[in-house]
């Protein structure tokens, strides 16, 4: 792990490490697919290729997460991440399987950080959406539909500018949120398709120098087989330089976050009181934990406020996604 | 103009006035459509309705822009804008046409600021997209295609991290931008459909209190006839409270802005020098104006920097679109 | 106005023009001071210098605002603004006073856009603070002190998480805001000192090439005499490249804005109802204007919401102040 | 740990845990000081107080970091954090020292999450500034001074708009950064004083209900003795509701970040090439690690880019600091 050893001196060390899903994509799936394709193309012996594939699968499962030690804040290309993974694979191929594997010449064969890292980020993002965010939104929608029925006759004061206006039902108010979330998920489902476009095969500057012309397409086939998803190859001159499809995704998440934030604020306001506030809804779960250290009998909207806090953080990180484009990225 | 007179004391006056397109939509098109529908529904005499329609058409054409005097920063509902328009119409109906028209009882009949203002904002946004932004992107795309052909054989240094890497053609680099802009416009075209959903007919709190049940649908029909666009009616409980379809639009504009910003930065860098920089491209138009007051012979990337400055402003305003949702908007 | 004529073709035209205060500083005060100093240094005839000074004073008073026609979004250096002013002065010197004045050789003598524009921005910002923002905060503080006395015994419910907690007085609550605003103004008064550092005399790249070594100091003396303020000269290599003292100012305004926003939200919440909300305070002024177009008898927190809307815009513009630094500014 | 057990079901679990410094302040220092003062005031037996103090010291040293298990995203008051700490102390007092300690009645005596958590955040922030950020800036300043001397005669091209302008020395360019950092640190040193104002003693709503009138002042004395810092007591009605002194701090860090970002970008640009770029400076350290996985001999500006990446993240988090004020915080 010579690269890693030296890089730790030159990079920042803020203590921030790559999340599980990135290691799964970069460390595991892409290196597995690359080795498999390189063997098929006759560029790698089946011994060496097999060893890489075996260690990659272990990386996918999380076995070596603690060896991905380089800080998240590194070069724009993510060479640190890529080389860290390459060296982990070479090390374990030798130590555990007795096969001599070179991190650059074998594990990284036909690849560049400039194409594999942006590929890995996208594979991780799509998988996270499919497995985590999308199901969570579905649950929310199902739950909201149920509540709308339940409260379709529950008349409550309607307010504008927080001042007395006209009666409304709680079901009607909730229906506004339901339709908003349904619309938000439509946008997310649409935008995720852009994130499925991968630049793999472009190598250093997008021209595919030093790799087999079929490499990118074949790697994507393997990624799709393993993940069950439907990635495609797109113009690497776009996809390596401009990660703005991920900004599209962040924009769709921003809309969802804002709708959720407003939803949370409204619930919190309706839950205010009970004696000195609106007291329009009850949230029985919130009384299961003491709301206060000084008044342990108090009930507070703890789940709602957790949500609002997390959204504040998300919105900050999304606004940050406007920044990196200023760095001049991989090309020019 | 009694409302306007009093409101000027209570509102802020920052000197910021509503843009032309908003007056066209709010002052003109929607009030025109509302009066037409109210006459058809037998709720307004044809004299009064006709007078409103006539003044509304003049508002659309810009004739009374200088009478829209209330500041942009007013109540969240936009009651100030709506009442300003209502009073302009009533005034000119009487002064110019001799017809007594009441701003609330006639011009605003069957409407509330809570439904007409969010309707007007969307009608204005869609029209602005169709007539201004979309054609401008088309021009950019056409121009880029031509340049890609022109420079398909122009080999230049490819760099990563601004350091020497491998050769690339200028056409290849530009193709990355072309594909990005094509993708951005796809997103814009998709997202604009959400903005076409209008809440008109919801009145004060979304229940449609105090208006004819067909009012909203009929008004939209008239809007579509006049504008040639295809607005639809959506759940007013969503559309009056949550203007996040406009945040979707701002998110799509953000992506376009970031791609343009990077494009501008790359052009600017390639245009650096000519003696002490990269000097990879020339932009002959930029020499038509003196680049410097102290060195009038100097040529600077003036058009490119104008673009970058405007994008910085746009990104700031887009980040602001996360804020108003905190205000508690029209309901609760 | 040859420069202006050509620049209008090459720059953007978004319809955005420079505000009064910038024209006052750039067009008036700085050009006035520069001409005065150049005459004193024997570099300009008193005829030419006098003509420049006379037109500059007219620019200060606002007489030629409508001739400052170049868009705000132009090159990073602001050459467009500087040359527009130079040409206005040269034109009126000739047409109105019959004196031949050259925009570059005379009006701009010893200056570069790279030093005068960042000088003008700061002079305008400090003046705006001193004449507008600072007095407005003082008024707020005076008014708050009065209300704290008035409401020192007005017991009201204290809430945490909007849920019933312990009694508190309205005076106590308001005292929290008073102390916050007192603290905010301390920061503003501190930070404004950094903004008083000017780079004038640095010319194109900070070295002062092509200007008299005393030029910068002498110009600042004149600026201070006319404005009654206390600007100083600072390292032009810092002050021309890094406008981050203005980001300091924007950061201090951000804090004030957030405190005001929270204050406005609390007032709005306490004013909710009167029947279906908290109804803890009344704001009699708010009933002077109809709150609603559909329910004209309704009273809404119109002044408070105007404030909240304006703050949202301000926060967006402040976040934008992080962007331009990516552009690479005036040097390298 | 009954609270913790229940809270884990109701709060979010994003996997984000409180950083070391917060645990040190909240878990250790404040609870230590509170117990010490409560014993001195005769409110706590010396057995119970001593046990709390002993476990608190262990919390300060990091011994129980892995027992602080509640997610960062919880209620706005931080009741979760406070109760988690209270329960850790009660548990270890009993298990390790055999003393029965009640988390609310003893550990939290005279306190509320509403005053201790905002106190802890500030104590942690000031300590982090004093021990980490301030020394790092000093190092940067010392290093810059050395380089300015070293390069005071190194003439290089000066550019404006990246286009050829006039000669400048590298020392002059660096002097601009030095003065900027000196100014930034002045602002930081000033602003940190506001962060030293603590609300401890205000308990639930700022009135100090249920605590000894001297409690706050005495706790701060102990905090100052242990930390060697100089915290003071401020109006709790301000300090519990408005955490905008921390926004002041974030604003000062934003300025430093922007100056560093620009510095990094300039270094990166001057380091471009060596053959196809400016090649104006060399950064020998950067060649100690392979810049590329596909071209291992390549040297990239790895440290500089790490910095730029981290700054992008910081700026996003800072923009997020505008959000939480919308939540309605602890009061009303």
């Amino acid at each position: 792990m010579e690269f890693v050893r030296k890089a730790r001196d030159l990079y920042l060390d803020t203590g921030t490490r790559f999340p599980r899903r990135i290691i799964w994509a970069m460390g595991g799936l892409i290196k597995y697919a690359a080795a498999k394709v390189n063997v098929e193309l006759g560029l790698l012996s089946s011994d060496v290729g097999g060893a890489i594939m075996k260690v990659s699968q272990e990386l996918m499962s999380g076995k070596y997460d603690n060896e991905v030690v380089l800080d998240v804040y590194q070069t724009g290309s993510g060479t640190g991440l890529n080389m860290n993974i390459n060296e982990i694979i070479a090390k374990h191929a030798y130590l555990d399987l007795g096969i001599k594997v070179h991190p650059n010449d074998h594990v990284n064969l036909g690849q560049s950080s400039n194409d594999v890292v942006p590929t890995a980020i996208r594979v991780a993002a799509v998988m996270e959406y499919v497995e985590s965010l999308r199901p969570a939104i579905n649950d929310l929608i199902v739950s909201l539909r149920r509540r709308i029925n339940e409260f379709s006759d529950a008349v409550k004061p309607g307010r504008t500018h927080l001042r007395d206006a006209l009666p409304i039902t709680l079901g009607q108010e909730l229906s506004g949120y339901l339709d908003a979330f349904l619309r938000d998920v439509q946008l997310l489902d649409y935008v995720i398709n852009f994130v499925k476009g991968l630049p793999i095969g472009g190598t250093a500057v997008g021209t595919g120098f030093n790799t087999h012309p079929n490499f990118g397409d074949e790697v994507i086939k393997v990624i799709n087989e393993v993940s069950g998803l439907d990635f495609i190859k797109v113009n690497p001159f776009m996809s390596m330089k401009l990660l703005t499809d991920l900004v599209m995704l962040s924009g769709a998440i921003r809309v969802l976050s804002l709708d959720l934030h407003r939803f949370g604020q409204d619930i919190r306001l309706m839950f205010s009181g009970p004696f000195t506030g609106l007291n329009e809804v009850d949230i029985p779960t919130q009384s299961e934990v003491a709301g206060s250290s000084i008044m342990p009998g108090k009930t507070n909207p703890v789940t709602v406020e957790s949500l609002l806090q997390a959204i504040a953080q998300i919105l900050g990180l999304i606004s940050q996604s406007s920044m990196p484009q200023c760095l001049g990225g991989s090309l020019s």
Side-chain angles (χ1 to χ4, degrees), chain A residues 67-185:
Chain A
E67 299 186 27
V68 183
V69 294
L70 289 182
D71 205 86
V72 163
Y73 305 104
Q74 46 178 260
T75 54
S77 59
T79 302
L81 172 64
N82 186 28
M83 283 306 300
N84 196 333
I85 295 292
N86 291 338
E87 292 192 344
I88 290 171
I89 293 173
K91 172 184 148 194
H92 286 284
Y94 185 67
L95 291 183
D96 305 345
L97 308 172
I99 313 257
K100 277 203 162 171
V101 169
H102 192 279
N104 295 73
D105 299 342
H106 298 145
V107 187
N108 200 54
L109 179 64
Q111 304 150 62
S112 162
S113 304
N114 294 330
D115 66 350
V116 293
V117 173
T119 295
I121 293 172
R122 289 173 171 108
V123 170
V126 174
M127 201 53 156
E128 189 71 17
Y129 176 67
V130 169
E131 296 205 339
S132 301
L133 183 56
R134 190 64 166 85
I137 304 172
N138 284 351
D139 288 351
L140 175 65
I141 286 170
V142 167
S143 164
L144 256 180
R145 279 197 213 280
R146 192 158 44 80
R147 296 299 187 180
I148 289 169
N149 283 331
E150 189 179 344
F151 298 123
S152 63
D153 297 327
V155 178
K156 67 178 286 292
R159 299 175 192 88
T160 63
H161 313 268
L162 294 180
R163 301 281 290 179
D164 311 332
L166 297 164
I168 193 172
T169 73
L170 184 52
Q172 288 174 320
E173 284 203 341
L174 295 180
S175 81
Y177 285 108
L178 175 64
D179 281 2
F181 295 134
L182 287 171
R183 191 196 57 184
D184 295 347
V185 89

